[in-house]
Amino acid sequence: MKEKLEQLKAEALRQIEASDALEKLNDVRVSFLGKKGELTSVLKGLKDVAPEERPKVGQLVNETRAQIEEVLEAAVKKMEKAAREAQLKAEVIDVTLPAKKNEVGHRHPNTIAMEEVERIFLGMGYEVVEGPDIETDYYNFEALNIPADHPAKDEQDTFYISGDILLRTQTSGTQVHEMEKGKLPIRMLAPGRVFRSDEVDATHSPSFHQIEGLVIDKHITFADLKGTLAEFARELFGEETKVKFRPHHFNFTEPSAEMDVSCFKCGGSGCRFCKGSGWIEILGCGMVHPNVLRMSKIDPEKYSGFAFGMGLERIALLKYEIDDMRLLYENDVRFLKQF
Ligand code: DAH
């Protein structure tokens, strides 16, 4: 038995000596020390050894194992060290070379404008929410008091996925989602993407963005709407900004209005920017129609509210004096870098 072990050890050491790669050392480990390895099979043969001899032979097996392990470990360490040294030699780093310039990107003008609008309304206690890009006819039209066959639907001719499912034409459906949650009061701002089958030109795109606002509480009046939106305009375009409300029609508000701001370029005297009128149209708004409240299970006798919606691109174009909407989508770095 002793001889057998000596032989095994000598063979293991010879193989370790001959190994020129870590994988080969691992093979040696498996074939001698592994579960099905040579030493293990010697241990299994222990039952044939006379009982009084067993402890001695067992100890001998363990010693042999320890010796092989030790030599193997040393060989592994040596080989790893050599590999690391070779790698360090191969990868020379010249620390005197100038560093690579790190190009840091920055926000898109649409994003800058959106975050500016959000900042203003967050400051007034609004919450920012999001609605789905794909809507059912109910949320996009019906629940906003736009019944089937109403001409207001034609104006927003859009992309239908099926008879009842469409890419939303306005963020106003988010109002309904928010009201349906059943938590009052509501002060929400809902920015998002909308879609209409419009031809591309300097002021139109089949996909653009809107920012929707909704407030529902007890005793909300048109005075709240005016005060809020006037303050918004002053924060966005400057302290001197005046606002004017023109009567308009939206199905989901009554009364409805469009809000103009005094031209921040000429201060209202008329210039190329405001096409000589002194005013710039900025958003649609109104008092939430009682039908809309009722459809979303809110009692119009107890609650009232106002809503507004604006085009994000329009705000970005105005604020940064960009004269073609297409520039916002072309991702030309020379353009984007300017903001
Ligand atoms: N959804 C309207 C549109 O796309 C904009 C709008 C007008 C939203 C009045 C409103 C509102 O919330 O009260 O033209």
Side-chain angles (χ1 to χ4, degrees):
M1 185 63 92
K2 197 172 168 196
E3 258 159 55
K4 171 106 208 271
L5 284 170
E6 284 296 333
Q7 255 175 31
L8 264 180
K9 188 169 108 189
E11 177 58 16
L13 298 188
R14 196 192 60 73
Q15 284 189 24
I16 292 171
E17 184 71 27
S19 296
D20 56 3
L22 281 168
E23 302 85 72
K24 291 202 180 140
L25 286 176
N26 197 43
D27 291 345
V28 178
R29 180 192 305 281
V30 172
S31 72
F32 285 92
L33 309 176
K35 265 194 194 144
K36 289 179 185 152
E38 307 267 2
L39 270 181
T40 316
S41 65
V42 173
L43 268 182
K44 280 181 188 149
L46 216 55
K47 59 181 186 317
D48 304 326
V49 175
E52 60 276 19
E53 290 284 303
R54 275 184 208 161
K56 232 171 115 193
V57 179
Q59 195 191 354
L60 213 56
V61 173
N62 283 339
E63 276 169 18
T64 309
R65 165 183 277 282
Q67 284 159 0
I68 297 177
E69 256 168 9
E70 197 182 317
V71 178
L72 193 66
E73 251 348 280
V76 167
K77 283 227 174 81
K78 199 171 138 199
M79 211 171 279
E80 281 175 348
K81 194 169 167 224
R84 212 168 25 246
E85 271 164 13
Q87 191 187 15
L88 282 177
K89 266 205 195 110
E91 292 175 0
V92 180
I93 298 169
D94 183 351
V95 292
T96 65
L97 279 175
K100 275 192 197 143
K101 200 165 163 221
N102 202 358
E103 286 267 355
V104 180
H106 66 105
R107 293 172 305 157
H108 189 277
N110 264 355
T111 311
I112 304 176
M114 185 181 81
E115 289 180 357
E116 176 68 2
V117 173
E118 285 181 3
R119 185 189 63 76
I120 296 170
F121 282 101
L122 282 170
M124 295 196 249
Y126 285 58
E127 183 189 2
V128 176
V129 301
E130 261 182 57
D133 287 1
I134 301 172
E135 276 291 18
T136 58
D137 186 88
Y138 179 77
Y139 288 99
N140 199 75
F141 296 118
E142 197 78 29
L144 291 167
N145 205 29
I146 308 174
D149 303 324
H150 193 282
K153 266 178 114 160
D154 288 348
E155 281 168 24
Q156 301 195 359
D157 194 15
T158 189
F159 304 109
Y160 280 86
I161 289 165
S162 70
D164 192 40
I165 301 172
L166 61 140
L167 298 183
R168 66 176 172 185
T169 63
Q170 48 186 353
T171 43
S172 303
T174 316
Q175 292 186 27
V176 181
H177 287 291
E178 213 47 32
M179 288 188 285
E180 280 184 351
K181 287 183 185 164
K183 267 203 281 176
L184 293 170
I186 295 171
R187 271 175 192 73
M188 69 137 220
L189 197 68
R193 196 165 193 183
V194 299
F195 307 83
R196 293 186 194 180
S197 61
D198 282 339
E199 295 286 342
V200 175
D201 65 23
T203 53
H204 292 86
S205 159
S207 162
F208 57 104
H209 299 78
Q210 288 185 334
I211 304 181
E212 191 80 19
L214 175 70
V215 170
I216 309 267
D217 205 344
K218 286 180 175 147
H219 317 300
I220 297 289
T221 69
F222 203 88
D224 296 305
L225 177 156
K226 281 181 77 176
T228 303
L229 295 179
E231 179 55 25
F232 161 66
R234 281 193 292 270
E235 287 211 37
L236 190 64
F237 294 113
E239 207 36 50
E240 308 303 312
T241 311
K242 293 188 182 58
V243 294
K244 151 173 115 171
F245 292 85
R246 283 177 291 103
H248 200 77
H249 172 263
F250 298 105
N251 286 56
F252 37 92
T253 44
E254 182 59 35
S256 306
E258 277 187 332
M259 184 176 91
D260 297 347
V261 295
S262 54
C263 178
F264 46 85
K265 206 77 190 149
C266 62
S269 56
C271 67
R272 190 187 61 87
F273 210 69
C274 54
K275 298 194 184 84
S277 77
W279 295 95
I280 299 171
E281 181 197 321
I282 215 79
L283 53 78
C285 57
M287 300 305 292
V288 181
H289 197 292
N291 286 352
V292 172
L293 292 175
R294 265 191 295 269
M295 277 186 272
S296 291
K297 311 274 184 302
I298 294 173
D299 183 353
E301 298 297 325
K302 290 194 185 131
Y303 285 92
S304 56
F306 65 85
F308 54 91
M310 65 191 99
L312 172 62
E313 280 79 357
R314 195 173 155 69
I315 304 274
L317 294 184
L318 284 172
K319 228 178 134 50
Y320 307 114
E321 301 183 23
I322 303 165
D323 53 16
D324 193 324
M325 188 170 171
R326 285 168 285 201
L327 288 164
L328 292 174
Y329 304 120
E330 283 167 355
N331 285 337
D332 185 330
V333 184
R334 290 167 302 177
F335 166 75
L336 294 174
K337 265 188 173 165
Q338 301 172 56
F339 304 95

